[in-house]
Amino acid sequence: MWFRHRRGAAAAALGAVAVMLLPACSAEREESLVDADSLTIGVKDDQPGLGLDVNGELVGFDVDVANYIAAHLGIEDVELVGITSAEREEKLVSGEVDMVVATYSITPARKTEVTFGGPYYVAKQDILVRAEEDAVDGVRDLEGRSVCQGAGSNSAFRITDGLGIDVLELQEAETYSVCIERLSEGSVDAVSTDNLILAGFLAEDPDSFRFVNNPFTDEKYGVGLPHGDVAACEAVNKAVSEMYQDGTAVDLLEEWFGETDLEVVRSVPQFEGCG
């Protein structure tokens, strides 16, 4: 389980004895990641600019945010592991990872299984098409076209179910990197997801794709935590506030997305609350 990393098993045992000696009205403090001495954090490993495996090293905005939060918690022993969109809840709930920082949009359904810190960034859904495609200027232009989304993502469903747009075909791929391959090959007409994700792929190959840059939703990127860990959520929110106040967030956004046309959000996001 996720609380396997608590500091000092011996100290914990002594603490349990001490609790037994306290008056009956005293309550034992619940397990929390703030008591951890190491963390396993799930991040993306196939999304340029956010989380990408480069010669065995994970790099990107989400990776840097994960490391910043861990440092704010005072935890130096941090293992970053690649995770797909479809695996995020499963690996967090099972305890395979302690935290998820992986373009993890906060939704009411996910809140039933996961406690979210943040958001640490509010992205907006947009569209990426091939460079020569000049007939798609907004989401309504996807009517009658094929759209790809990554497994475990809700992006394309916001177009079909949310906006009632009748796309020709909705393809689902294991990851968004596969969607981008299909877009490049011509087997799909568009990829629609968060603009940070699209901007990262565009920066890698600006001559092959065009960023529509006409957003139509807000996507609140949360830090996934074990359900009910309020103390960790509050600590994460403090870390995110500091990250914006000390200029780190803006510096990281500029580093990873500054060469694109993306208009990044520079202010501290409004937090969802930890209760």
Side-chain angles (χ1 to χ4, degrees), residues 154-203:
N154 297 313
S155 297
F157 297 130
R158 296 189 190 100
I159 297 169
T160 56
D161 299 348
L163 297 176
I165 295 172
D166 186 16
V167 303
L168 175 67
E169 179 187 17
L170 173 56
Q171 295 185 21
E172 190 166 78
E174 182 180 357
T175 63
Y176 272 105
S177 58
V178 175
C179 280
I180 296 299
E181 290 174 8
R182 293 181 186 178
L183 180 62
S184 179
E185 295 165 355
S187 58
V188 69
D189 295 321
V191 177
S192 181
T193 187
D194 310 341
N195 53 7
L196 279 191
I197 296 175
L198 298 178
F201 285 113
L202 178 63

Side-chain angles (χ1 to χ4, degrees), residues 16-17 19 50 59 61 69 97 107 135 157 184 198 211 236 246 262:
V17 173
V19 168
L50 287 159
V59 298
F61 177 68
I69 291 171
V97 299
T107 68
F157 297 130
S184 179
L198 298 178
F211 189 38
V236 165
D246 68 16
L262 180 66

Side-chain angles (χ1 to χ4, degrees), residues 101-117:
V101 185
T103 64
Y104 201 6
S105 295
I106 301 171
T107 68
R110 288 170 177 166
K111 280 185 172 182
T112 64
E113 298 186 78
V114 173
T115 288
F116 283 102

Side-chain angles (χ1 to χ4, degrees), residues 43-54 57-63 103 128 175-178 180-181 193-206 209 221 252-253 255-258 260 262:
V43 297
K44 294 294 181 68
D45 61 4
D46 71 327
Q47 291 183 350
L50 287 159
L52 186 67
D53 188 330
V54 179
E57 181 183 4
L58 291 166
V59 298
F61 177 68
D62 279 2
V63 173
T103 64
L128 198 69
T175 63
Y176 272 105
S177 58
V178 175
I180 296 299
E181 290 174 8
T193 187
D194 310 341
N195 53 7
L196 279 191
I197 296 175
L198 298 178
F201 285 113
L202 178 63
E204 276 211 326
D205 193 357
F209 305 111
Y221 285 174
L252 292 176
L253 289 164
E255 175 184 351
W256 293 109
F257 306 105
T260 71
L262 180 66

